[in-house]
């Protein structure tokens, strides 16, 4: 369980690491340049995970999106949220099988994400059916300001 800040509000300290990159790579199959979660700062098994993605000008997608005004593609923000959600699902199913995107709903992009931003992604499990299908709500913030939110569906691949 992460330590709380000095105000006692129950939120993890900004640098508290619940899962580092090595543990994330042991759980998720994604690798560079598609690994989009740097650390997990909060984890409630079968319920919720909060992850961090540090956005750098060195990201390969900035070469073409857009060279004179770098903006992180929205689909990659959603993918980053999905990877945080994938950590919840892989912890629930120890079979080593793969969960994949089955759909997205109600996704909204509120502001651009640019180099230097730190994405804080909160993903909560809404429901799981037959141990094979899941639905989650994701929310991404930069400096406490809502950037993206939406629902994601997952399916277990045999």
């Amino acid at each position: 369980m992460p330590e709380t800040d000095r105000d006692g509000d129950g939120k993890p300290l900004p640098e508290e690491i619940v899962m580092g990159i090595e543990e994330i790579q042991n759980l998720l199959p994604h690798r560079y340049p598609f690994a989009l979660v740097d650390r997990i700062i909060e984890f409630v098994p079968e319920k919720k995970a909060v992850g961090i993605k540090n956005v750098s000008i060195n990201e390969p997608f900035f070469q073409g999106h857009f060279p004179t005004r770098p903006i992180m593609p929205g689909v990659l923000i959603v993918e980053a949220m999905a990877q945080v959600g994938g950590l919840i699902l892989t912890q629930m199913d120890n079979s080593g099988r793969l969960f994949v995107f089955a759909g997205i709903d109600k996704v909204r992009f509120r502001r651009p994400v640019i180099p230097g931003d730190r994405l804080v992604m909160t993903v909560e499990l809404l429901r799981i059916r037959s141990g094979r299908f899941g639905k989650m709500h994701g929310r991404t913030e930069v400096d406490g300001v809502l950037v993206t939110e939406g629902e994601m569906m997952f399916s277990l691949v045999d």
Side-chain angles (χ1 to χ4, degrees):
M1 185 80 168
E3 295 177 33
T4 57
D5 69 15
R6 291 197 174 114
D7 294 332
D9 65 359
K11 294 182 181 177
L13 292 166
E15 296 302 318
E16 181 70 26
I17 300 173
V18 175
M19 280 185 217
I21 193 65
E22 290 177 3
E23 189 171 1
I24 292 167
Q25 287 183 332
N26 286 334
L27 296 170
L28 293 180
H30 308 83
R31 295 296 179 265
Y32 178 84
F34 221 66
L36 299 173
V37 182
D38 295 325
R39 68 176 51 161
I40 298 296
I41 59 169
E42 184 179 348
F43 187 80
V44 180
E46 300 185 16
K47 293 187 190 301
K48 174 182 172 182
V50 180
I52 300 290
K53 165 67 178 154
N54 295 304
V55 181
S56 166
I57 190 63
N58 295 326
E59 308 282 353
F61 49 80
F62 285 135
Q63 292 177 24
H65 199 272
F66 301 100
T68 60
R69 187 167 180 207
I71 296 174
M72 184 173 183
V75 295
L76 293 181
I77 298 169
V78 174
E79 173 63 26
M81 287 192 304
Q83 290 180 21
V84 172
L87 289 165
I88 298 170
L89 296 172
T90 58
Q91 292 291 311
M92 293 174 65
D93 180 82
N94 294 324
S95 69
R97 295 179 295 174
L98 183 64
F99 281 93
V100 296
F101 250 138
I104 54 176
D105 285 326
K106 304 175 188 169
V107 173
R108 297 289 180 261
F109 302 100
R110 310 285 182 197
R111 77 178 249 333
V113 173
I114 60 173
D117 283 348
R118 182 178 200 191
L119 297 178
V120 178
M121 302 161 288
T122 303
V123 180
E124 297 183 66
L125 182 63
L126 299 175
R127 65 178 161 269
I128 193 145
R129 274 192 282 157
S130 309
R132 298 186 55 82
F133 303 99
K135 186 171 190 176
M136 298 185 172
H137 179 265
R139 175 183 177 90
T140 300
E141 297 178 355
V142 172
D143 297 327
V145 177
L146 179 64
V147 170
T148 305
E149 67 180 329
E151 294 177 354
M152 302 164 286
M153 283 70 65
F154 297 89
S155 177
L156 182 64
V157 175
D158 289 322

